[in-house]
């Protein structure tokens, strides 16, 4: 475990300027709190350049490895070299393999995130990517159904904590109200991955038979090797948890042997960031009792239900999109299915880039943005389900609507979790709640992959009503997600979201029992709206 002890640098600078050993109140008196917002924005953009591209790459590769098994089911079908044909998989074995990933994910998501909070976050994130690459490469060697089941479960174990860990990691460098746009930015990697993997799979199908490997084996092997390389790079590139200006990290144990990560900010930029997010630089130690308070907080469960519906539809579309398109027109070839699969995720990406930045600027209205996007998903599922079979492209257009509606929902849900639980429970609140919302919400993925679509034999039968019951079930769950978002909004209005008694009595860096006193927290009380948008800058 990393030693979080620090020591002062030997410097003759004015201690007020460096912020050495000063409380937030002293820094306020020194005038550092009056830094213009333009300077603060510049600091956040510097942090963006260090973290967001790295997160985008890791999420791209991990998403590709996680979802490749869905594409492998339809690759090189005409030559008898698809995953299902090579392993002689039944529909039940396929759905079980897909579901096992999410069972492991649900079980290990929260423990993984809590370990990350206690250890070095950048080392743990690099470990996740490295392990995903190793397991992903092993899929190229599957020879029977049991090996596929085992590897899918192991993949869920090693990737657990990645998605909520990324959301938690952001709160070490940004205030929660600014994380939605950034979660959306790297979340686009999943959409690009889904589109690109679909397109690139056409190329892997052309490699069928090369070197004695079939197309899907080349796909698993090369993506896995790329992830292994990235895992080692991230160990050096990702920044560690920030320390107050004038202090340096003491590395002990195994961490002595890890490469040092360059500091993310220096000089005046570090001072400004310290003043912005004092709460992050002076985290309150937490224990199992604190974790228990998070688990019994009612605010957790509406967020879980919101996430349950949208992630179920998202994973269902990701894993069964090509199968649904094939049902629209059974004459489509494997390559055509891959090409038609990609635009669904392009629509998803467009929605993320449009909606998530606006939702950050109007962060008091997360439920409105979330529910509007879910309504678009519902409209798309209704179109795909009930449009006449003669209108094939109308039914395909419904899938494009589903893609567009999916985009903003997951980032908004995770951002709202950050906002509520950082204020309510501090760092352990973010780490635990993000993992629990992600983990328990992914039970929607288990249901989609195991109980619906190909996991529901009667509903999967060829014919005009194929997947109709599965789609209608998902529409019902999405309606529950909408209701949950507004229940959360109403209850927060009535009951509030004050810091827990444990936070208020902890003697942490907050100076008022009822609110964090760093610069970002005071600004979060007001919405930014459309102020300081790109068209207003000079």
């Amino acid at each position: 475990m990393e030693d979080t002890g620090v020591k002062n640098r030997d410097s003759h600078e004015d201690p007020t300027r460096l912020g050495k050993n000063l409380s937030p109140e002293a820094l306020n008196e020194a005038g550092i709190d009056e830094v213009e917002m333009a300077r603060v924005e510049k600091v956040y953009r510097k942090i963006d350049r260090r973290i967001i591209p790295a997160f985008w790459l890791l999420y791209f590769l991990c998403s590709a490895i996680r979802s490749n098994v869905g594409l492998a089911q339809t690759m090189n079908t005409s030559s008898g070299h698809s995953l299902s044909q090579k392993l002689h998989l039944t529909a039940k074995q396929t759905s079980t393999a897909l579901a096992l990933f999410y069972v492991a994910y649900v079980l290990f998501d929260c423990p993984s995130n809590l370990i990350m909070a206690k250890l070095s976050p950048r080392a743990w994130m690099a470990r996740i990517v490295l392990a995903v690459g190793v397991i992903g490469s092993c899929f190229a060697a599957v020879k029977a159904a049991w090996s596929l089941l085992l590897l899918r479960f192991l993949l869920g174990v090693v990737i657990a904590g990645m998605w909520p860990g990324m959301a938690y990691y952001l709160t070490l460098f940004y205030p929660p109200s600014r994380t939605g746009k950034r979660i959306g930015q790297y979340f686009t990697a999943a959409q690009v991955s889904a589109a690109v993997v679909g397109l690139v799979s056409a190329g892997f199908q052309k490699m069928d038979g090369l070197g004695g490997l079939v197309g899907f084996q080349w796909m698993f092997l090369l993506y896995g090797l790329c992830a292994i390389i990235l895992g080692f790079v991230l160990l050096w590139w990702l920044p560690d948890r920030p320390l107050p200006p004038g202090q340096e990290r003491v590395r002990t144990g195994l961490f002595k042997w890890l490469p040092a990560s360059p500091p993310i900010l220096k000089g005046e930029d570090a001072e400004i960031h310290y003043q912005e997010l004092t709460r992050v630089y002076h985290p309150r130690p937490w224990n199992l009792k604190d974790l228990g308070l998070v688990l019994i907080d009612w605010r957790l469960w509406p967020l879980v239900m919101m996430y349950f519906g949208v992630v179920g539809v998202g994973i269902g579309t990701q894993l069964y999109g090509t199968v649904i398109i094939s049902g629209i027109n059974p004459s489509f070839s494997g390559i055509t299915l891959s090409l038609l699969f990609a635009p669904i995720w392009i629509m998803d990406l467009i929605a993320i880039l449009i909606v998530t930045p606006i939702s950050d600027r109007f962060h008091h209205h997360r439920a409105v943005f979330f529910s509007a996007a879910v309504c678009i998903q519902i409209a798309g599922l209704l179109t795909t389900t009930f449009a006449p079979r003669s209108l094939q492209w109308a039914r395909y257009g419904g899938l494009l609507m589903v893609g567009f509606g999916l985009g903003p929902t997951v980032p908004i849900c995770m951002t709202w979790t950050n906002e509520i639980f950082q204020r309510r429970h501090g760092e352990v609140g973010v780490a635990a709640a993000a993992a629990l919302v992600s983990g328990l919400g992914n039970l929607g993925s288990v249901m989609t992959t195991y109980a619906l679509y190909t996991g529901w034999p009667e509903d999967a039968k060829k014919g005009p009503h194929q997947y109709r019951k599965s789609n209608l079930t998902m529409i019902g769950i999405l309606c529950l997600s909408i209701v949950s978002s507004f229940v959360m909004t109403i209850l927060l209005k009535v009951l509030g979201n004050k810091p827990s008694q444990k936070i208020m009595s902890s003697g942490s860096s907050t100076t008022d029992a009822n609110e964090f006193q760093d610069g970002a927290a005071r600004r979060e009380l007001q919405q930014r709206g459309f102020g300081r948008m790109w068209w207003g800058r000079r």
Side-chain angles (χ1 to χ4, degrees):
M1 187 165 132
E2 184 177 27
D3 190 340
T4 57
V6 292
K7 60 182 180 180
N8 290 332
R9 291 191 183 118
D10 184 17
S11 172
H12 299 290
E13 296 273 6
D14 179 356
T16 301
R17 171 169 168 71
L18 285 176
K20 287 184 180 179
N21 305 320
L22 293 181
S23 66
E25 296 89 342
L27 286 170
N28 287 343
E29 292 172 4
I32 297 177
D33 190 45
E34 302 302 324
V35 176
E36 294 181 359
M37 275 306 300
R39 192 72 181 88
V40 173
E41 296 283 357
K42 185 178 179 181
V43 169
Y44 284 135
R45 287 195 293 272
K46 283 187 177 182
I47 298 174
D48 288 344
R49 290 193 290 270
R50 181 74 176 275
I51 294 177
I52 304 304
F55 270 19
W56 196 96
L57 284 174
L58 77 86
Y59 199 55
F60 176 91
L61 285 174
C62 290
S63 296
I65 292 169
R66 181 185 64 190
S67 62
N68 274 345
V69 68
L71 284 171
Q73 295 178 68
T74 57
M75 290 176 64
N76 299 112
T77 304
S78 59
S79 59
H81 289 169
S82 72
L83 180 67
S84 299
Q85 292 167 326
K86 291 288 287 184
L87 302 187
H88 307 290
L89 298 173
T90 65
K92 199 66 174 178
Q93 287 173 325
T94 300
S95 60
T96 301
L98 296 175
L100 276 174
F101 169 89
Y102 296 102
V103 171
Y105 189 92
V106 170
L107 291 175
F108 292 95
D109 212 24
C110 189
S112 177
N113 224 35
L114 293 174
I115 292 172
M116 175 184 286
K118 286 290 188 181
L119 299 180
S120 166
R122 60 123 182 176
W124 194 252
M125 190 63 67
R127 190 282 305 165
I128 290 174
V129 178
L130 183 62
V132 168
V134 171
I135 299 297
S137 298
C138 290
F139 274 89
V142 292
K143 298 296 183 182
W146 71 265
S147 58
L148 177 67
L149 296 174
L150 175 62
L151 287 176
R152 282 292 292 179
F153 183 82
L154 290 178
L155 184 63
V157 172
V158 298
I159 205 173
M162 181 193 67
W163 172 247
M166 295 165 79
Y168 160 74
Y169 188 94
L170 285 189
T171 62
L172 300 179
F173 299 94
Y174 305 94
S177 66
R178 289 178 177 266
T179 58
K181 180 180 79 171
R182 287 155 177 101
I183 291 174
Q185 285 173 342
Y186 64 71
F187 188 53
T188 60
Q191 284 61 52
V192 174
S193 173
V196 170
V197 167
L199 295 172
V200 173
S201 70
F204 284 122
Q205 291 180 72
K206 296 293 185 182
M207 296 173 65
D208 189 49
L210 182 65
L213 299 178
V214 299
F216 74 79
Q217 289 176 312
W218 278 112
M219 179 175 66
F220 287 135
L221 183 61
L222 293 180
Y223 277 115
L225 291 176
C226 289
I228 291 172
I229 294 171
L230 180 62
F232 284 109
V233 172
L234 291 177
L235 195 57
W236 167 79
W237 179 255
L238 285 178
D240 262 315
R241 177 195 301 272
L243 294 175
Q247 297 179 335
E248 61 184 42
R249 197 175 313 275
V250 176
R251 298 170 38 181
T252 60
L254 293 176
F255 291 94
K256 286 183 177 180
W257 305 101
L258 296 180
S261 176
I264 194 168
L265 295 170
K266 296 180 180 179
E268 186 180 0
D269 290 337
E271 299 161 20
I272 293 170
H273 190 255
Y274 175 79
Q275 180 61 19
E276 272 288 289
L277 282 178
T278 307
R279 73 189 98 159
V280 169
Y281 287 88
H282 301 285
R284 178 181 59 84
W286 56 271
N287 52 36
L288 290 177
K289 181 179 179 181
D290 300 312
L291 179 59
L293 292 174
V294 177
L295 296 177
I296 63 174
D297 194 325
W298 64 264
R299 295 161 184 81
L300 185 66
W301 305 107
L303 292 165
V304 169
M305 293 309 303
M306 289 166 58
Y307 199 87
F308 181 92
V310 296
V311 80
V313 173
I315 296 301
T317 305
Q318 190 174 50
L319 294 178
Y320 295 117
T322 54
V323 178
I324 295 172
I325 296 171
S326 177
I328 293 174
N329 188 337
S331 66
F332 285 150
S333 67
I335 293 176
T336 301
L337 291 175
S338 297
L339 295 176
L340 289 174
F341 186 62
I344 298 173
W345 305 107
I346 294 173
M347 295 297 292
D348 195 303
L349 183 151
I350 291 171
I352 290 171
L353 296 178
I354 292 173
V355 177
T356 54
I358 300 175
S359 71
D360 270 2
R361 291 179 171 275
F362 294 91
H363 62 277
H364 293 172
H365 303 291
R366 299 285 187 194
V368 174
F369 289 98
F370 176 86
S371 299
V374 174
C375 285
I376 295 175
Q377 293 179 53
I378 292 173
L381 283 171
L382 289 172
T383 302
T384 299
T385 304
F386 293 108
R389 291 183 63 81
S390 59
L391 300 177
Q392 296 178 358
W393 295 112
R395 297 178 68 194
Y396 175 70
L399 288 177
L400 297 182
M401 293 173 65
V402 171
F404 189 89
L406 277 171
T409 51
V410 170
I412 289 174
C413 193
M414 296 303 293
T415 303
W416 207 7
T417 302
N418 287 349
E419 288 178 329
I420 291 171
F421 281 87
Q422 187 182 72
R423 176 172 174 79
R424 179 77 179 160
H425 296 283
E427 187 171 302
V428 65
V430 177
L436 289 167
V437 169
S438 171
L440 296 176
N442 261 291
L443 290 173
S445 304
V446 176
M447 186 192 69
T448 302
T449 54
Y450 193 74
L452 302 181
Y453 299 103
T454 57
W456 191 345
E458 180 184 347
D459 196 41
K461 290 180 180 179
K462 301 291 184 181
H465 301 309
Q466 187 180 28
Y467 303 132
R468 174 169 289 189
K469 293 179 180 178
S470 295
N471 288 342
L472 291 176
T473 301
M474 292 311 304
I475 288 171
I477 295 172
L478 288 174
C479 290
L480 181 60
S481 293
I482 293 175
V483 171
S484 297
S485 71
F486 281 104
V487 167
M488 172 67 92
T489 301
I490 293 170
L491 290 178
L492 287 176
K493 290 285 187 183
V494 174
L495 302 177
N497 189 47
K498 294 181 179 180
S500 70
Q501 292 297 320
K502 180 74 174 179
I503 289 279
M504 291 190 288
S505 62
S506 66
S508 66
S509 62
T510 57
T511 59
D512 187 296
N514 294 318
E515 63 176 307
F516 291 108
Q517 289 297 300
D518 54 28
R522 286 191 291 273
R523 277 188 287 275
E524 283 180 333
L525 298 176
Q526 300 293 326
Q527 296 185 127
R528 286 180 288 154
F530 288 117
R532 299 192 59 78
M533 292 292 285
W534 60 269
W535 58 74
R537 296 176 188 164
R538 294 184 179 179

